Structures are given as C-alpha cells and as structure tokens.
Amino acid sequence: MKWNRTVILFSLALAAQGQAYGAQPGRGYLGFSLGQATVEDFCGGGEATCDDEAVSFRAYGGTELTDVIGLELGYRYLDEVEASGVIDGIALAVGVQGHLIDTSLRIGVPQSGPFKLFTRAGLVLWQLDYDVFATDGLDSFSATDDDSGFALRGGLGVSYDVSQSLRIRADWDLYLDVGDEDEFGESDINVFSVGPEFRF
C-alpha cells in the first residue's frame, strides 16, 4: 500500500512552516524521547505466549506559533511485539515492528511558571513490518511482509523548563486504528515516554 500523497504533502507543508517560524528566537524546538508502547488487542488470549509491550523511541521538532498554539512533526520507532501459539498442530510465531511519522497541532495552557500542559491532535503515517514463522515439526515456513497507511493521533503532555533552552517533557500518545483490518487487523497504540526538548 502506498503512502497517502495528500497526507504526505500536508506533513511537508507543516514542516516547512515550522522551519520558517523556528527561525524566530525562542520559537523552534527539537527533542527526543524514550518510553514504552502497548499495542491494544494484539494479544487475543489464545496464544501460548504473547507480549504486546515494546520499547519506543521518538524524535521530533516543531514551532511555537504563540504561547498556546504550536505545530509539530515527529518520527516514532516501535520495537517488536511478539505472539506465538499452536493451531491444528502447527506452531506459529509472529513479530511486528512499527514506524510512524506524525504531524500534529499542539494546544497548551498559557505558561505562567516552569510547567506547561498541552494536548496534541493530528495525522500519522504508519508502516508495520511483519515476521511470520510456522512449523509442523517436519517442515518450516517463514515470511516477511509490510503494510502502510494513515490514521489519527492524539495525546497529552507536560513539560518542565530546566533552563531557557532546555525542557524535560513527558508524553502520552494515542494512535488510533493502526493497521489494515482486512490483513492483520487494526490496533490502538498507547505510548508513555519522557525525554529532553531543546528550544532555539
């Protein structure tokens, strides 16, 4: 499946606009965060083993248009979630990794101290990479596949000003209906993360 061109152009337009505003002193920011992702509905209960949690890394940048409104573009990597079981005497195992490019509007509470609360909503371009293995004890089979598309995203966050140019930021991100319902199914992905944010 090809990336939706309209969404890609929209993301690039936001990034370009962010660079223009980011040239103003104190308006642009870059950051990265590390956290844990949970893929909802990945474990159905019939598996012998299943792990629906994975380490996640995100790099992002944005611009603060005002003290309340900002634009943000980011890339998130989701490490592998895994499940295995036996169906009709055949042992199956599947692993899924994710790559997400998100663009969002950030709306915050006017800052009056070192803390700032905000919410985000926007679009996400996702790609999921699948690894599948099956064996009946005599013969084995393995395959890789990938799927991509776009979905909605939301989130909440809080940041703390360590200095004029450095913040510590904590986020909860929610990605809705990631995946293809007709192939491997759709899942919501929750991510909790924390990391530094640099202002310029």
Side-chain angles (χ1 to χ4, degrees), residues 83-94 132-137 139-141:
S84 63
V86 178
I87 300 177
D88 296 330
I90 299 176
L92 299 171
V94 60
V132 180
F133 177 80
T135 181
D136 60 2
D139 297 318
S140 61
F141 168 81

Side-chain angles (χ1 to χ4, degrees), residues 101-122:
I101 298 175
D102 60 79
T103 183
S104 55
L105 177 69
R106 191 175 88 168
I107 301 176
V109 176
Q111 188 167 351
S112 58
F115 288 97
K116 185 176 181 67
L117 300 173
F118 57 88
T119 184
R120 295 198 314 279

Side-chain angles (χ1 to χ4, degrees), residues 29-33 57-62 195-198:
Y29 61 90
L30 296 171
F32 60 89
S33 62
F57 170 82
R58 182 172 185 256
Y60 62 90
E197 183 176 285
F198 304 93

Side-chain angles (χ1 to χ4, degrees), residues 11 13 45 63 69 73 107 120 147 154 175 189 194:
S11 300
T63 179
I69 299 174
L73 180 68
I107 301 176
R120 295 198 314 279
D147 197 9
Y175 303 92
I189 302 174
V194 64

